[in-house]
Every structure is written in structure tokens, then in C-alpha cells.
Amino acid sequence: MDDGPGAVPARVAALAAVAALTYATFLLEIPLSLDVGSGYVSELSAADQPFNSVYGGGDLVTGVLAIVVAAEALRRLRRRALATAGWTFLALFGACAVGDAAFPLDCAPSRATWCALRERSAQVSFSHEFHAVTSGGVVICGVAALLLLSLAARRYGWWPALARWGLPLALAEAVLALAMMAAMFTGQWLGLVQRIQVGALCMGLLLIAWALHAGRTMPMAVARDEARA
């Protein structure tokens, strides 16, 4: 009989929830920025932008917390192939988010013509160029983590919330990532599509946090039912 995935301390589920909130710092552009919703989300943390430390700090905190959550899950929860792969990709998501903070853009190409010209002529720093790698890694690893953990929940009968909502949300994230690539070629709706896609990643982190929390309370509920019986 499968005894379930096990449980993590309450603080681990809380850290996953905080990671979702800190990854949503782009919402602060509503009170902090005059030009809301245009260009890449990464441009908010570009080195020459105001409040860049706020947005870059959000990525850094999210990345560190995601790595901690994944490490605790791998250490404390039951090892099954899909779940192990899912937590590993969550750690990689965290590493890429830290990379986003460590390698910011030099400037915001969509907000300054001179920056766009420098970018096209390859007159930007390694940090600016490498940011595309870390940003792509965030999307790929985030989608993979949620997808694998959802499949694990369905296959092993774990984490009901992930089993029910994880797969649709992971597929939505993948579709939004493809839509963002299309927007890059057309030059339209890029900022809006990417912000929705980042929001979906935040929802994925919240779903993981809820699954970890429910994984703690469910064994206690079962024990109470057995005691009453």
C-alpha cells in the first residue's frame, strides 16, 4: 500500500507561497512606473531603470526560496521518479531566477531606441546577452516542474490539488510561452502576453505551496478519522 509522499515542515509550504508573491513584483510597476505593461518584464530590472533593485530582488528571493523548497522536498518526501524529476526542475527554475537577478539587462530595448540599436549591433555586455538564457530557463524549468509534479500527483495518488489543477495550468503556461514567442516576431502584445505567462508561473508556485500544505494536514485528518472509527 502506498503511504503517500510524506510531509514537509509548515515553513517549506510557506516559503513556496512567498516565492510566488516575490515573483509577482512586476505588479508593482502599476504604482511605480508610468509606462505600464510594455516591453519585457525583464526590462523592469535593467541596470539603467528606476527601481531595478526591487524587481531584481524579487527574482533573487524567488530563486533562492524555490531552491530551498525543492531541496527540502527532495530530502524529506518519498522518492519516486516523476516527483524527483519535478523537484529537480523546480530547483533549476530557482537557479535560473537567481541568474535573472545576477545577469540583468544593460538597458530596456523597448523603451530606448539607442538601447535597441546597441542590442542589434551586439554592443551590449555579457550580462545583457546571457539574460536571455536565464529567462528562457525560467520558463522551461518552471513549466517542466509543474508538469512533472502534476503527473506524479496523478500517477501516485498524491497531492489532490496538483492532480486536478496542475496539468491544465502547466499546459496553459506552455501555450502562453509559445504565444510570447509569436508576439516577439509580430511585435504586438508582447508585454501583455509575457505578464500573463509570468502570472501563470506565480499561480503554479502557489499551487505547489498549497499541495505541500495539504500534504501536511491530510495525514492528520486521516489519523483523526481512524481514531474516531
Coordinates of all heavy atoms in Angstrom, one line a residue, residues 19-59:
A19 N 7.6 32.6 -2.4 CA 8.3 32.7 -3.7 C 7.3 33.1 -4.8 O 7.7 33.8 -5.7 CB 8.9 31.3 -4.0
A20 N 6.1 32.7 -4.7 CA 5.1 33.1 -5.7 C 4.8 34.6 -5.6 O 4.7 35.2 -6.6 CB 3.8 32.3 -5.5
L21 N 4.7 35.1 -4.4 CA 4.5 36.5 -4.2 C 5.6 37.4 -4.7 O 5.4 38.4 -5.3 CB 4.2 36.8 -2.8 CG 2.9 36.1 -2.2 CD1 2.7 36.4 -0.7 CD2 1.6 36.6 -3.0
T22 N 6.9 37.0 -4.4 CA 8.0 37.8 -4.7 C 8.3 37.7 -6.2 O 8.9 38.6 -6.8 CB 9.3 37.3 -4.0 OG1 9.5 35.9 -4.2 CG2 9.1 37.6 -2.5
Y23 N 7.8 36.6 -6.9 CA 8.0 36.6 -8.4 C 7.0 37.5 -9.1 O 7.1 37.7 -10.3 CB 7.8 35.1 -8.8 CG 8.5 34.9 -10.2 CD1 9.8 35.2 -10.4 CD2 7.7 34.3 -11.2 CE1 10.4 35.0 -11.6 CE2 8.3 34.1 -12.5 CZ 9.7 34.5 -12.7 OH 10.2 34.3 -13.9
A24 N 6.0 38.0 -8.3 CA 5.0 38.8 -8.9 C 5.3 40.3 -8.7 O 4.4 41.2 -8.8 CB 3.6 38.5 -8.3
T25 N 6.6 40.6 -8.5 CA 6.9 42.0 -8.3 C 6.6 42.9 -9.5 O 6.6 44.1 -9.4 CB 8.4 42.2 -8.0 OG1 9.2 41.5 -8.9 CG2 8.7 41.6 -6.6
F26 N 6.4 42.3 -10.7 CA 6.1 43.1 -11.9 C 4.8 43.9 -11.7 O 4.6 44.9 -12.3 CB 6.0 42.2 -13.1 CG 4.8 41.3 -13.2 CD1 3.7 41.7 -13.8 CD2 4.9 40.0 -12.6 CE1 2.5 40.8 -13.9 CE2 3.8 39.2 -12.6 CZ 2.6 39.6 -13.3
L27 N 3.9 43.4 -10.8 CA 2.7 44.1 -10.5 C 3.0 45.5 -9.9 O 2.1 46.4 -9.9 CB 1.8 43.3 -9.6 CG 1.3 42.0 -10.1 CD1 0.5 41.2 -9.1 CD2 0.4 42.2 -11.3
L28 N 4.2 45.6 -9.3 CA 4.5 46.9 -8.7 C 4.7 48.0 -9.7 O 4.8 49.2 -9.3 CB 5.7 46.8 -7.8 CG 5.6 45.9 -6.6 CD1 7.0 45.7 -5.9 CD2 4.6 46.5 -5.6
E29 N 4.8 47.6 -11.0 CA 5.0 48.7 -12.0 C 3.8 49.5 -12.1 O 3.8 50.7 -12.6 CB 5.3 48.0 -13.4 CG 4.2 47.2 -14.0 CD 4.6 46.6 -15.3 OE1 5.3 47.3 -16.1 OE2 4.1 45.5 -15.6
I30 N 2.6 49.1 -11.6 CA 1.4 49.9 -11.7 C 1.6 51.1 -10.8 O 1.3 52.2 -11.3 CB 0.2 49.0 -11.2 CG1 0.0 47.9 -12.1 CG2 -1.1 49.9 -11.1 CD1 -1.1 46.9 -11.7
P31 N 2.0 51.1 -9.6 CA 2.3 52.3 -8.8 C 3.6 52.9 -9.1 O 3.8 54.1 -8.9 CB 2.1 51.9 -7.4 CG 2.6 50.4 -7.4 CD 2.1 49.9 -8.7
L32 N 4.6 52.1 -9.5 CA 6.0 52.7 -9.6 C 6.3 53.2 -11.0 O 7.2 54.0 -11.1 CB 7.0 51.6 -9.2 CG 7.0 51.1 -7.8 CD1 8.0 50.0 -7.5 CD2 7.2 52.3 -6.8
S33 N 5.7 52.7 -12.0 CA 6.1 53.1 -13.4 C 5.0 53.8 -14.1 O 3.8 53.6 -13.9 CB 6.5 51.8 -14.2 OG 7.5 51.0 -13.5
L34 N 5.4 54.7 -15.0 CA 4.5 55.4 -15.8 C 4.1 54.7 -17.1 O 2.9 54.8 -17.5 CB 5.1 56.8 -16.3 CG 5.4 57.8 -15.1 CD1 6.2 59.0 -15.7 CD2 4.2 58.2 -14.4
D35 N 5.0 53.9 -17.6 CA 4.7 53.1 -18.8 C 4.5 51.7 -18.4 O 5.4 50.8 -18.3 CB 5.9 53.2 -19.8 CG 5.6 52.6 -21.1 OD1 4.4 52.3 -21.4 OD2 6.6 52.3 -21.9
V36 N 3.2 51.3 -18.2 CA 2.8 50.0 -17.6 C 2.5 49.0 -18.7 O 1.8 49.3 -19.6 CB 1.6 50.2 -16.7 CG1 1.2 48.8 -16.1 CG2 1.9 51.1 -15.5
G37 N 3.1 47.8 -18.6 CA 2.7 46.7 -19.4 C 3.4 46.7 -20.8 O 3.0 45.8 -21.6
S38 N 4.4 47.5 -21.0 CA 5.0 47.5 -22.3 C 6.4 46.8 -22.2 O 7.0 46.9 -21.2 CB 5.2 48.9 -22.9 OG 6.1 49.6 -22.0
G39 N 6.8 46.2 -23.3 CA 8.2 45.5 -23.3 C 8.2 44.3 -22.4 O 7.3 43.8 -21.8
Y40 N 9.4 43.8 -22.3 CA 9.7 42.6 -21.5 C 9.6 42.9 -20.0 O 9.9 44.0 -19.6 CB 11.1 42.0 -21.8 CG 11.3 41.5 -23.2 CD1 12.0 42.3 -24.1 CD2 10.8 40.2 -23.5 CE1 12.2 41.8 -25.4 CE2 11.0 39.7 -24.8 CZ 11.7 40.5 -25.7 OH 11.9 40.0 -27.0
V41 N 9.2 41.9 -19.2 CA 9.2 42.0 -17.8 C 10.6 42.3 -17.3 O 10.9 43.0 -16.4 CB 8.6 40.8 -17.1 CG1 8.8 40.8 -15.6 CG2 7.1 40.7 -17.5
S42 N 11.6 41.6 -18.0 CA 13.0 41.7 -17.6 C 13.5 43.1 -17.7 O 14.5 43.5 -17.0 CB 13.8 40.8 -18.5 OG 13.5 39.4 -18.2
E43 N 12.9 43.9 -18.5 CA 13.3 45.3 -18.7 C 13.1 46.1 -17.4 O 13.8 47.2 -17.2 CB 12.6 46.0 -19.9 CG 13.0 45.4 -21.2 CD 12.3 46.0 -22.4 OE1 11.1 46.3 -22.3 OE2 13.0 46.3 -23.4
L44 N 12.2 45.7 -16.6 CA 12.0 46.4 -15.3 C 13.2 46.4 -14.4 O 13.4 47.3 -13.7 CB 10.8 45.8 -14.6 CG 9.4 46.0 -15.3 CD1 8.4 45.1 -14.6 CD2 9.0 47.4 -15.4
S45 N 14.0 45.3 -14.5 CA 15.2 45.2 -13.7 C 16.5 45.5 -14.4 O 17.5 45.2 -14.0 CB 15.3 43.7 -13.1 OG 15.3 42.8 -14.2
A46 N 16.3 46.1 -15.6 CA 17.5 46.5 -16.4 C 18.4 47.5 -15.5 O 17.8 48.3 -14.7 CB 17.1 47.1 -17.7
A47 N 19.7 47.5 -15.8 CA 20.6 48.2 -14.9 C 20.3 49.7 -14.9 O 20.6 50.4 -13.9 CB 22.0 48.0 -15.4
D48 N 19.7 50.3 -16.0 CA 19.5 51.7 -16.1 C 18.1 52.1 -15.7 O 17.8 53.3 -15.9 CB 19.9 52.2 -17.5 CG 18.9 51.7 -18.5 OD1 18.2 50.7 -18.3 OD2 18.8 52.4 -19.6
Q49 N 17.3 51.2 -15.2 CA 15.9 51.5 -14.9 C 15.7 51.9 -13.5 O 16.4 51.3 -12.6 CB 15.0 50.3 -15.3 CG 15.0 50.0 -16.8 CD 14.4 51.2 -17.6 OE1 13.3 51.6 -17.4 NE2 15.2 51.7 -18.5
P50 N 14.8 52.8 -13.2 CA 14.5 53.1 -11.8 C 13.8 51.9 -11.1 O 13.1 51.1 -11.8 CB 13.5 54.3 -11.9 CG 12.9 54.1 -13.2 CD 14.0 53.6 -14.1
F51 N 14.1 51.7 -9.8 CA 13.5 50.6 -9.0 C 14.0 49.2 -9.5 O 13.3 48.2 -9.2 CB 12.0 50.7 -9.0 CG 11.4 52.0 -8.7 CD1 10.8 52.8 -9.6 CD2 11.5 52.5 -7.4 CE1 10.3 54.0 -9.3 CE2 11.0 53.7 -7.0 CZ 10.4 54.5 -8.0
N52 N 15.1 49.2 -10.3 CA 15.5 47.9 -10.8 C 15.9 46.9 -9.6 O 15.7 45.7 -9.8 CB 16.7 48.0 -11.7 CG 17.9 48.7 -11.0 OD1 17.8 49.2 -9.9 ND2 19.0 48.8 -11.7
S53 N 16.3 47.5 -8.5 CA 16.7 46.6 -7.4 C 15.4 45.9 -6.8 O 15.5 44.8 -6.2 CB 17.4 47.4 -6.3 OG 16.5 48.4 -5.8
V54 N 14.3 46.6 -6.9 CA 13.0 46.0 -6.4 C 12.7 44.7 -7.3 O 12.4 43.6 -6.7 CB 11.9 47.0 -6.5 CG1 10.5 46.3 -6.1 CG2 12.1 48.2 -5.6
Y55 N 12.7 44.9 -8.6 CA 12.3 43.8 -9.5 C 13.4 42.7 -9.5 O 13.1 41.5 -9.4 CB 12.1 44.3 -10.9 CG 11.0 45.4 -10.9 CD1 11.4 46.7 -11.2 CD2 9.7 45.1 -10.7 CE1 10.4 47.7 -11.3 CE2 8.7 46.1 -10.7 CZ 9.1 47.4 -11.0 OH 8.1 48.4 -11.1
G56 N 14.7 43.1 -9.5 CA 15.7 42.1 -9.5 C 15.8 41.4 -8.1 O 16.0 40.2 -8.1
G57 N 15.5 42.1 -7.1 CA 15.4 41.5 -5.7 C 14.3 40.5 -5.6 O 14.5 39.4 -5.0
G58 N 13.2 40.7 -6.3 CA 12.1 39.8 -6.3 C 12.5 38.5 -7.0 O 12.2 37.4 -6.5
D59 N 13.2 38.6 -8.1 CA 13.7 37.4 -8.8 C 14.7 36.6 -7.9 O 14.7 35.4 -7.9 CB 14.4 37.8 -10.1 CG 13.4 38.2 -11.2 OD1 12.2 38.0 -11.0 OD2 13.9 38.9 -12.1

